[in-house]
């Protein structure tokens, strides 16, 4: 039986995310990002968000451009083939409007893994000896935000410990990341909340389990009994999901394996247009603020464009996209 308390609209999910929330996301760079909810956060003019993610992408660059982000903890932001850098995040950081706390890719993953396991920290040697570990680059510390007043900001960026069991080696201790909310886009969700992801799962499980709350956008809602026929294919049980919404193509312009490709032309055009704040504002007016919801955004894209991106379910990718040509 469907849990009607959990099933809501995308706008409802965004409204439940307060200003100042600490967020993490599903997916990887330009794959399976929760874009429908990201657009709605911008439309609702959320502010002072704190993002912790294994890597940034189009989603976090849009949030930065809209002035939603105060703190960003990650290792990279960009659009892969379609734009080298996250222009908007970079501009906000350079202007001192967003604090960037830099960890290595693996370190951020370990922080989420520690949070998912309920551990306060994780030990590693990753990035040892690099400037990431230079106390001078502890940007949250320099901003005076490691005073214990914010529960999602640890009192130290890292610490060191010598191996207490075998001696000799010194290890880095990384604090657990425990975001308020993980915002995820997935292929299927059961009507009670069980989650299934097709293809690569990236750091989804760690992010979903590390967060206090889990909000999900799904390509489709299916009967719970259907997912339970093959339980090994599911990644998160129903009781961990607080609320969800159904939105086909809800990860556009990022891709969703076996459903649709990355819309490279869209991301490339976004990257070129948003190199200035004025350019971003014009883009956001056209694609977010002038439209009432994500359904209207999909209508503006048009059936033909979406159909061209749609994957052939037998071979898992679109057979109509022209590949390998330089733009």
């Amino acid at each position: 039986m469907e849990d009607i308390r959990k099933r809501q609209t995308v706008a409802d999910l965004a409204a439940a995310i307060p200003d100042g929330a600490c967020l993490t996301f599903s997916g990887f760079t330009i794959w399976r990002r929760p874009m429908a909810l990201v657009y709605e956060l911008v439309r609702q003019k959320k502010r002072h968000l704190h993002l912790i993610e294994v890597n940034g992408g189009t989603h976090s660059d849009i949030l930065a451009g809209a002035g939603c982000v105060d703190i960003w903890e990650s290792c990279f932001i960009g659009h892969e083939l379609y734009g080298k850098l996250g222009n908007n995040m970079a501009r906000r950081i350079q202007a001192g409007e967003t604090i960037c706390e830099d960890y290595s890719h693996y370190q951020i993953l370990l922080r989420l893994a520690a949070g998912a396991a309920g551990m306060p920290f994780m030990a590693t040697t990753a990035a040892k000896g690099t400037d990431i570990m230079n106390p001078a680059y502890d940007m949250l510390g320099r901003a005076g935000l490691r005073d214990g007043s914010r529960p999602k900001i640890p009192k130290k960026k890292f610490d060191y410990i010598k191996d207490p069991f075998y001696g000799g080696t010194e290890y880095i201790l990384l604090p657990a990341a425990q975001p308020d909310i993980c915002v995820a886009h997935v292929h299927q969700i059961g009507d009670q909340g069980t989650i299934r992801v097709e293809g690569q799962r990236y750091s989804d499980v760690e992010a979903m389990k590390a967060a206090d709350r889990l909000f999900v956008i799904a390509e489709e809602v299916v009967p719970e009994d259907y997912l339970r026929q093959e339980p090994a294919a599911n990644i998160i049980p129903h009781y961990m999901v607080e609320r969800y919404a159904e939105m086909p193509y809800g990860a556009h312009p990022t891709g969703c394996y076996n459903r649709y490709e990355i819309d490279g032309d869209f991301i490339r055009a976004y990257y070129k247009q948003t190199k200035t704040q004025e350019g971003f504002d014009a883009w956001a007016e056209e694609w977010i603020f002038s439209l009432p919801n994500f359904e209207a955004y999909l209508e503006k894209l048009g059936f033909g464009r979406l159909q061209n991106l749609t994957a052939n379910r037998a071979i898992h990718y679109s057979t109509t996209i022209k590949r390998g040509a330089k733009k």
Side-chain angles (χ1 to χ4, degrees):
M1 179 179 296
E2 181 177 352
D3 190 335
I4 59 174
R5 297 168 300 173
K6 290 184 177 182
R7 187 166 184 172
Q8 302 177 10
T9 67
V10 173
D12 291 335
L13 267 61
I17 297 175
D19 288 346
C22 181
L23 304 181
T24 193
F25 305 95
S26 66
F28 188 89
T29 316
I30 52 175
W31 281 101
R32 207 163 32 76
R33 296 302 198 173
M35 300 303 296
L37 190 48
V38 166
Y39 282 25
E40 189 59 34
L41 291 173
V42 172
R43 189 177 289 111
Q44 294 185 16
K45 298 184 178 180
K46 299 294 181 175
R47 292 293 181 264
H48 311 302
L49 299 179
H50 175 181
L51 310 185
I52 304 177
E53 53 184 346
V54 170
N55 53 60
T58 307
H59 66 296
S60 39
D61 193 59
I62 289 172
L63 289 172
C68 302
V69 182
D70 280 6
I71 300 171
W72 179 64
E73 299 189 67
S74 190
C75 66
F76 165 82
I77 186 167
H79 314 281
E80 294 191 7
L81 297 175
Y82 312 108
K84 294 181 181 179
L85 300 172
N87 290 318
N88 297 285
M89 185 69 79
R91 186 169 55 251
R92 295 285 182 176
I93 293 168
Q94 290 168 350
E97 297 166 347
T98 296
I99 296 172
C100 171
E101 192 65 86
D102 189 23
Y103 288 90
S104 76
H105 180 110
Y106 187 50
Q107 285 181 330
I108 284 283
L109 178 59
L110 289 177
R111 291 190 64 200
L112 287 168
M119 296 294 293
F121 53 79
M122 190 74 76
T124 184
T125 57
K128 190 175 181 181
T130 71
D131 271 345
I132 288 175
M133 311 311 299
N134 187 336
Y137 300 135
D138 176 2
M139 307 311 289
L140 288 171
R142 288 173 59 175
L145 298 177
R146 296 198 186 277
D147 60 359
S149 63
R150 300 195 182 196
K152 300 304 178 181
I153 298 178
K155 294 180 180 179
K156 295 181 179 181
K157 180 176 181 177
F158 60 88
D159 208 340
Y160 292 101
I161 187 172
K162 285 195 172 182
D163 182 348
F165 301 107
Y166 301 101
T169 303
E170 185 177 59
Y171 289 90
I172 301 164
L173 296 182
L174 297 171
Q178 298 172 318
D180 293 312
I181 302 168
C182 175
V183 180
H185 185 90
V186 306
H187 293 78
Q188 293 177 320
I189 191 165
D191 51 25
Q192 293 180 27
T194 298
I195 293 174
R196 179 171 295 179
V197 166
E198 300 169 17
Q200 294 193 56
R201 298 172 176 179
Y202 309 114
S203 54
D204 285 11
V205 173
E206 290 82 0
M208 291 176 185
K209 291 183 176 180
D212 297 333
R213 305 162 71 190
L214 177 54
F215 292 7
V216 179
I217 307 293
E219 287 292 315
E220 58 181 347
V221 178
V222 299
E224 195 75 20
D225 289 345
Y226 168 77
L227 295 182
R228 294 185 182 183
Q229 291 173 16
E230 194 178 354
N234 305 327
I235 65 170
I236 293 292
H238 66 93
Y239 59 82
M240 294 187 69
V241 176
E242 179 176 317
R243 58 189 77 201
Y244 66 84
E246 183 178 51
M247 182 56 64
Y249 294 96
H252 183 277
T254 68
C256 186
Y257 170 78
N258 203 31
R259 300 303 173 101
Y260 45 91
E261 303 270 359
I262 298 163
D263 193 337
D265 289 342
F266 188 95
I267 295 176
R268 186 182 292 108
Y270 163 83
Y271 172 72
K272 290 179 178 178
Q273 184 176 352
T274 62
K275 290 183 178 181
T276 65
Q277 188 61 50
E278 294 76 16
F280 176 85
D281 292 343
W283 180 90
E285 178 61 31
E286 178 180 2
W287 290 102
I288 299 178
F289 292 116
S290 68
L291 303 172
N293 50 42
F294 200 75
E295 290 92 338
Y297 166 84
L298 295 176
E299 289 178 9
K300 179 176 172 65
L301 288 169
F303 174 80
R305 184 171 194 152
L306 295 174
Q307 183 66 22
N308 186 52
L309 296 169
T310 299
N312 180 305
R313 298 292 288 275
I315 58 177
H316 313 303
Y317 60 86
S318 169
T319 59
T320 57
I321 289 179
K322 186 177 181 181
R323 304 173 192 273
K326 292 184 178 180
K327 293 287 186 180

